[in-house]
Amino acid sequence: MAFDLDLIRKVYGQLPGKVSAARTLLGRSLTLAEKVLYSHSYDTPSNAYVRGKDYVNFTPDRVAMQDATAQMALLQFSTCGRDQVAVPSTVHCDHLIQAKTGATQDLATAVDVNKEVYDFLSSISNKYGIGFWRAGAGIIHQVVLENYAFPGGMMIGTDSHTPNAGGLGMIAIGVGGADAVDVMAGLPWELKMPKLIGVKLTGKMSGWTSAKDIILKVAGILTVKGGTGAIVEYFGEGAESLSCTGKATICNMGAEIGATCSMFAYDEKMAEYLRGTSRADVADLANGVAADLRPDQDVYDNPANYYDQLIEINLDELEPYVNGPFTPDLATPISEMANAVKENGWPNEVEVALIGSCTNSSYEDISRSAFIAKNAMGKGLKAKSEFTITPGSEMVRYTIERDGFLKTFDEMGGVVLANACGPCIGQWARHVSDPNKKNTIVTSFNRNFAKRNDGLSSTHAFVASPEIVTAYALAGSLSFNPLKDTLKNDKGEDVMLDEPQGFEMPPLGFDVKDPGYDAPAKDGSNVEVVVSPTSERLQLLSPFPAWDGHDYKGLKLLIKAFGKCTTDHISMAGPWLKFRGHLDNISNNMLIGAINAYNNETNKVKNQLTGAFDAVPAVARAYKAANIGSIVVGDENYGEGSSREHAAMEPRHLGVNVILVKSFARIHETNLKKQGMLAITFDNKADYDKIQQDDTIDVVGLTTFAPGVQLTVVLNHADGTKDEFKVNHTYNEQQIEWFRKGGALNVIRAEFASRK
């Protein structure tokens, strides 16, 4: 039986009436996204919401948190004054398990090393009525897809790949912890009404092509910021042909184009997956409102009239893609890969091939990869590269072991890692003899920023489907094209790999002994949550100070970041994950990966008080100790990547008042606003070049801060000259209140305090 069945019944019971009302309000047919958005509006809308302009309050059905972000989210929630969460919520322990030797030992080590954090998360979940998935249960997004996602629902999650649930027709959006606190506290959740990008899929895939290749191609079309502020809605006969988990893969990687989320319409593939994961009751309920879980017919007939942008991909013609290195939108068809390797000087030897992760660890993915492995061994081939397999959940792992796939990988030379994020997020104790040597790895993960997987800037990481990654493991060469190239076997014969075959669903059904779930206490009032004042990993939070009512004057330039500055650059993962519950300790990684525009170095900026160069956090702490505010300047799409709100909390904690950039990634901009930061953008992007290393900076206009009204930045140069220019912001009245009160959580605390 499904979790939260009463909630799902309620959503479906109200859906037809709400969709009908929205159709009347807009005076036209509706896309799927519009149906779900309007049916989850907190207020009954009196006018159509304007895409890309109107801020709208929504009522998500549930919240999901992974262990790295849940720590800060729940530390914040524990201060808001509620006894229990207002909506179904879960915590998933998947980020703190380091991949080193193999699943059994790595999991045992993680349980020991992270005991303090796991005990904290377990007890605080128990206290506030939150479902708890233990370490080893699986990766948050796979577990959500298997247990909680339902067509037409709406959820938020404290991880940027929450949109994975769009594979089951859900609007699922990655957010920061403060957003999760809003929803868990029963308050409306605010989002700017997304624009809509339609992707029409025609034809049907075959051979080596997989669902992964669709999103890899879309990433090449839209780039890492092309989906910002938009929901990507896939439709057409090609969409209907994809498995449910294939749809989820595409939605998962929508985060790599900056999309708010991605989604598919409810169809028989989704119903099949629901039934296969013991949720036949949900499938039956969905069938009863199926018409409202799909776009209206006129949307299919005339899509250009309904979407802000329309893309069409013919799956009959689609070939496998390999994206990277260093960015997930550098898309190369596999037929052009050999030439690209030569032209760009990429290391041709594939040192490690990694499959799995939250993006591609379904039964279908694993079965197709296992087919390739078995086929290859039958032809006298074995892996030439290191080869790792990361199952997405204990249910998938147990089932693929039962069906012999893990044995096949073992015979091929593969190593099975724990059911966790592992190398995908930098939790990888990679064994390398020379960390400075340029090298290539290929993964079926989602991100490939520099240092993302192993902490090495020398590593060139490429992203491809599990099938292609498995082929690369056998070939050991980035130039290899399994569609046409041969490999020499142990007899010296030239052989070709057969096209992959697999199963969308296990023929014998899914099975699992212990899925790893702990239900919360019905009454958690007597549950004690202990945080040691001397802990290095957990720290109770104090409210950030409110704005002092004056313009910012005399801010010191902390760093002018050049080029790509993702949340990995702002707040690295990997070994720093252990401090995700301790704001002061983790702040020692603030912006240490960002490139200083004045010297092209990382973690080396000028301290204007001493004239010396030092680490970014050290200089920030020096300014804070001297009661001097600071400002960070950045480039395009600042804060792309993960939803981690630590990238916003750390600057706030270390006395940074303002983030001024050419453009923001959506989640990061929201996180900054939630923490009471001033997030502004250049009106004229060329003004970025006017900022000098020794500048003292003023931001003027805050005493009359208002929606749509520009602010002014004054650069006071060291030589006594000045530059002045206008900057933009996207704050509405509520967000300005967050700024004035020192953060959204301060507003929530005050609201609940007034009720008592």
Side-chain angles (χ1 to χ4, degrees), residues 620-699:
R621 289 183 187 277
Y623 293 153
K624 182 180 180 181
N627 292 315
I628 298 172
S630 58
I631 180 172
V632 169
V633 175
D635 215 319
E636 296 280 8
N637 208 31
Y638 182 87
E640 77 171 91
S642 171
S643 68
R644 67 190 65 148
E645 68 178 344
H646 298 75
M649 296 184 78
E650 292 173 34
R652 183 77 163 100
H653 177 65
L654 294 187
V656 178
N657 299 108
V658 183
I659 309 290
L660 168 61
V661 300
K662 293 180 180 178
S663 64
F664 283 106
R666 175 192 64 85
I667 300 177
H668 188 61
E669 182 181 22
T670 300
N671 286 345
L672 291 168
K673 291 178 179 180
K674 286 278 187 177
Q675 299 304 331
M677 295 280 285
L678 184 63
I680 51 180
T681 57
F682 293 98
D683 184 53
N684 178 1
K685 294 180 180 181
D687 289 333
Y688 170 93
D689 298 322
K690 295 178 180 178
I691 297 173
Q692 299 174 19
Q693 185 168 226
D694 292 309
D695 281 349
T696 298
I697 300 172
D698 305 331
V699 181

Side-chain angles (χ1 to χ4, degrees), residues 531-568:
V531 174
S532 169
T534 60
S535 173
E536 293 186 349
R537 298 196 62 176
L538 295 166
Q539 180 187 46
L540 295 176
L541 296 175
S542 299
F544 288 128
W547 173 58
D548 66 3
H550 299 93
D551 288 336
Y552 286 137
K553 296 289 185 71
L555 301 178
K556 295 298 185 184
L557 176 65
L558 179 60
I559 185 173
K560 179 180 175 180
F562 173 76
K564 189 182 283 288
C565 193
T566 71
T567 49
D568 280 280

Side-chain angles (χ1 to χ4, degrees), residues 347 351 432-439 455-460:
E351 294 197 3
V432 290
S433 55
D434 181 3
N436 297 312
K437 173 192 168 189
K438 288 186 177 181
N439 71 96
L456 303 177
S457 58
S458 55
T459 295
H460 293 56

